[in-house]
C-alpha cells in the first residue's frame, strides 16, 4: 500500500495543519518507508512467536496492597486547631 500526496494533504486538512510542498513530499516518503517496512514484517513467519506488549521486559513497580496500621487518631487530631468528635473543625466558608 502506498500513501499518495493527496492523502497526506487530506489528513493535514482534517488536522487543520498547513505544510509546504516540500514537507508534504517528505511526509509521503517517510510514510511510504514505514509502510514498506511493515510489509516486510508482515512476510515473516510469526506463528510460533508469543505476543508481547513491550519490547523490553517490565516488572510491576507498585508495592503489594496490604493492610497496615494507621496513625493514632488522637495523635493526628492533636495537630489541628480544633478537634471535634474524631474530625477537624474548620471555619464555615459556604453560606
Amino acid at each position: 500500500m502506498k500513501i499518495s500526496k493527496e492523502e497526506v494533504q487530506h489528513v493535514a486538512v482534517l488536522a487543520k495543519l498547513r505544510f509546504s510542498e516540500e514537507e508534504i513530499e517528505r511526509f509521503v516518503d517517510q510514510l511510504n518507508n514505514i509502510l514498506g517496512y511493515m510489509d516486510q514484517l508482515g512476510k515473516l513467519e510469526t506463528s510460533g512467536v508469543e505476543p508481547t506488549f513491550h519490547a523490553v521486559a517490565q516488572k510491576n513497580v507498585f508495592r503489594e496492597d496490604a493492610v497496615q496500621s494507621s496513625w493514632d487518631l488522637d495523635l493526628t487530631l492533636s495537630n489541628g486547631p480544633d478537634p471535634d468528635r474524631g474530625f477537624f473543625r474548620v471555619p464555615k466558608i459556604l453560606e
Side-chain angles (χ1 to χ4, degrees):
M1 174 181 201
K2 289 276 190 178
I3 297 290
S4 68
K5 181 179 176 180
E6 290 77 25
E7 289 172 314
V8 172
Q9 288 172 329
H10 177 69
V11 172
V13 168
L14 292 176
K16 297 182 180 179
L17 299 172
R18 290 187 188 162
F19 296 115
S20 67
E21 286 296 318
E22 180 182 305
E23 290 173 316
I24 290 173
E25 291 296 330
R26 191 169 11 136
F27 288 141
V28 169
D29 290 339
Q30 290 174 346
L31 290 170
N32 284 324
N33 286 339
I34 292 169
L35 290 175
Y37 182 69
M38 297 309 292
D39 285 340
Q40 285 180 338
L41 291 177
K43 294 176 185 175
L44 294 174
E45 175 58 40
T46 59
S47 60
V49 178
E50 186 176 329
T52 59
F53 297 101
H54 296 283
V56 178
Q58 295 184 342
K59 65 176 185 169
N60 190 353
V61 296
F62 299 113
R63 65 173 168 78
E64 195 66 32
D65 190 16
V67 176
Q68 297 177 351
S69 61
S70 185
W71 292 358
D72 179 61
L73 182 61
D74 293 328
L75 177 63
T76 303
L77 290 174
S78 70
N79 290 316
D82 190 14
D84 181 35
R85 293 176 287 161
F87 299 96
F88 290 114
R89 186 189 321 235
V90 296
K92 187 175 183 180
I93 59 169
L94 299 175
E95 295 293 327

